[in-house]
Amino acid sequence: MNLNKNKIRAVYPGSFDPVTNGHICIAQRAAEIFDEVIVAILMNTQKDPSFSVEERQQMTEEALVDINNVQVCAFSGLLVNFMQSLGSKVIIRGLRAMSDFEYEFQMALMNRQLAPDIETFFIVTEPQYSYLSSSAVKNVFQFGGDISSMVPDCVRNRMKNRIHEYPNQIIKNRTKPFE
Ligand code: ADP
């Protein structure tokens, strides 16, 4: 029996606006299963991001620096095209509640239609992160709540600096990314 296998490179795409402990948990668990994990930050998100792509990448890199087989990069355009350019056939997505399911199911089927050789793998969140989203973190922070159990220190520090620099600026519902 020959058990040698080719290395499997998985891509974990998302907005990561900003990266949360829920994202980190999914990236860590993916890194235990796949040989290489690329956390891919979407540039042209329709979600009107609060943080620039450079900031999102920097924070995510810092948060994941201790995991050897994880790399962070930014991409634009179709995910499947980006994956083909990397030679990856595995998409990682995290699943929280059933409310994630419909969107994720649609995306997985769309990507399958576009690139039938690419598979989407779902990792179910840890219960303690099931309520956690980037937008919830920004909301809680904006109203002075404690986010220390929700995001890594690098994210919390950057958000604190933002508030000092732009005290009147509301983090959610911004019309353009921070410069
Ligand atoms: P997108 O805009 O692509 O949904 P996000 O940054 O919101 O990007 O999420 C990226 C991926 O991480 C999605 O699959 C999402 O379901 C998953 N995710 C987000 N927050 C959590 C969490 N707390 N636990 C598990 N997975 C999560």
Side-chain angles (χ1 to χ4, degrees), residues 29-83:
R29 289 162 64 196
E32 281 167 22
I33 297 167
F34 298 101
D35 300 295
E36 247 187 281
V37 175
I38 313 284
V39 177
I41 301 180
L42 182 59
M43 283 185 203
N44 55 348
T45 172
Q46 297 161 339
K47 287 188 176 174
D48 186 18
S50 302
F51 293 94
S52 71
V53 70
E54 291 80 13
E55 287 179 301
R56 287 182 276 148
Q57 179 167 356
Q58 225 174 52
M59 288 187 280
T60 309
E61 270 167 358
E62 223 173 298
L64 296 171
V65 71
D66 291 333
I67 314 176
N68 289 335
N69 58 336
V70 172
Q71 289 180 62
V72 182
C73 67
F75 78 105
S76 59
L78 275 184
L79 174 62
V80 293
N81 290 347
F82 174 69
M83 296 193 53

Side-chain angles (χ1 to χ4, degrees), residues 158-173:
R158 186 160 309 229
M159 288 175 79
K160 276 188 192 163
N161 291 341
R162 280 289 177 220
I163 282 285
H164 288 309
E165 280 174 49
Y166 307 96
N168 300 319
Q169 203 157 32
I170 297 173
I171 287 187
K172 189 173 176 275
N173 295 334

Side-chain angles (χ1 to χ4, degrees), residues 12-18 20-23 25-26 42 45 47 92-96 100 103-104 122-126 129-134:
Y12 177 26
S15 312
F16 304 99
D17 184 40
T20 69
N21 290 344
H23 292 126
C25 176
I26 299 295
L42 182 59
T45 172
K47 287 188 176 174
I92 305 292
R93 294 287 287 177
L95 269 187
R96 284 163 293 188
D100 275 342
Y103 173 73
E104 294 293 344
F122 292 104
I123 298 182
V124 172
T125 189
E126 290 286 356
Y129 300 133
S130 59
Y131 65 93
L132 197 52
S133 67
S134 300

